Structures are given as structure tokens and as C-alpha cells.
Amino acid sequence: MLLPSRDGAPAAVEVSHGSAQARLDQPYDSARARDEGRLEKGRSSPAEVRETFGAALDAQPPRPVSFTVYFLEGKDELTAESLPVVGQVFAELARRPAPEIVVIGHTDARGSHAANDPLSLQRAERMRDELIKRDVPGERIHVEGRGKRELLVPTADGIAEPRNRRVEISVR
């Protein structure tokens, strides 16, 4: 059964049984394997899927959610515009009984790798410390710094770009 994606993006899956194959590329397409080595393709309605798979669908964990906060140049201090995003992170954490968090720090292209690598990690650690202050267990937080290696906005080396001075927080 191919369920619709939550964001509306197209999806498809190939199903194989013996030498038989079926492509499911529309929401609620299904394929059923038959004993004689063939696939029977079908389609269900949302109501039929809910009736058959409702308990399993309800038991799924929430999908991961990502947030991005931005920092002042050369510092581990958040921009004023990022403060409301931090509140959104804490609200999302409150909805999850046992969240796992990945925090990845970045810098812009100004400065050397030797300067930017520690700064990106310092930014990520700053966010980890904020999470720990809000009673998130430290062992649930994975922290990394990527320096200027993964620019959100491609720029030449040495160019300051505020959107690259960021920390990405993934909550799952």
C-alpha cells in the first residue's frame, strides 16, 4: 500500500514477487502477492486504509521536524529573529515523550577551516546547552560542527553570508 506523502510530494515504489513486478505510483495503490507467483494491483480508498490499518497508522512515531536558527557573525550568539524558533523547538520537544535531537553547527565562508570548525561546534554546543537547561537529557542530543563545508547559500571563500551562520536542529 502506498500512502500519500504528508508534504504532497510524489512517491513511488516497485513491488516484486517472483518474476512479477508492479509499480505503485499513486496514493492508495496496492499490490497483493498471489501464491502462483503473480501480483494483483489494486487501489483502496482513504476510508478503507483507515479501517484496515488504523491501529498501525496511529502507532507510528511523529515524523522528524527540523528547525534552523541563525547566529551573529563570529559568535555563538543567536540573532533576535531566531529566538522565536528556539521556542518552537521547545514546543516540539514537549510533544515527544523521548525525543532524539541532532544539532549541527555551520559557519559562513569567512575565515579558515581552523577558525570555523571550532566556531560551528561551539554554536551547536550552545544549542545543546540550552536544550539541557530545559531538561532534555544530554545523551539524547548528538552534536556536530561542519564549519564552512556545507553552505546553505553557496558563496566564494571569504564571503560573509548571514544565512550560512546557522545551527540546524532535527527532532525525531
Side-chain angles (χ1 to χ4, degrees):
M1 176 71 59
L2 180 65
L3 297 176
S5 63
R6 291 189 182 179
D7 64 0
V13 64
E14 293 284 335
V15 179
S16 298
H17 177 64
S19 63
Q21 293 186 334
R23 179 176 172 83
L24 309 180
D25 57 9
Q26 296 297 314
Y28 305 108
D29 277 355
S30 63
R32 183 178 303 256
R34 295 297 178 189
D35 291 336
E36 53 276 2
R38 66 182 177 86
L39 284 172
E40 182 178 283
K41 191 170 174 185
R43 180 168 292 167
S44 296
S45 70
E48 291 169 324
V49 171
R50 173 57 54 193
E51 183 178 322
T52 304
F53 301 107
L57 292 170
D58 293 341
Q60 289 181 329
R63 291 192 176 259
V65 179
S66 295
F67 302 89
T68 303
V69 292
Y70 298 93
F71 289 80
L72 298 177
E73 186 172 2
K75 299 181 180 185
D76 70 349
E77 184 179 336
L78 288 166
T79 64
E81 297 80 16
S82 291
L83 296 175
V85 177
V86 174
Q88 294 170 7
V89 172
F90 293 132
E92 183 62 34
L93 291 171
R95 287 191 280 276
R96 296 173 185 255
E100 293 180 22
I101 303 115
V102 176
V103 182
I104 301 175
H106 301 272
T107 65
D108 62 19
R110 289 194 65 195
S112 65
H113 286 296
N116 284 331
D117 287 349
L119 178 58
S120 66
L121 184 59
Q122 183 180 348
R123 288 173 174 167
E125 289 173 341
R126 169 83 185 271
M127 294 312 303
R128 179 197 59 209
D129 293 345
E130 292 300 318
L131 294 167
I132 291 171
K133 284 180 191 175
R134 299 280 184 112
D135 298 323
V136 176
E139 63 271 7
R140 295 198 157 277
I141 307 167
H142 177 77
V143 176
E144 293 181 25
R146 302 273 171 83
K148 60 181 178 177
R149 288 174 187 82
E150 298 175 7
L151 300 174
L152 181 65
V153 178
T155 63
D157 200 39
I159 302 297
E161 170 52 60
R163 292 170 291 177
N164 288 330
R165 298 188 295 264
R166 69 197 190 282
V167 164
E168 297 168 341
I169 303 165
S170 176
V171 179
R172 55 179 185 212

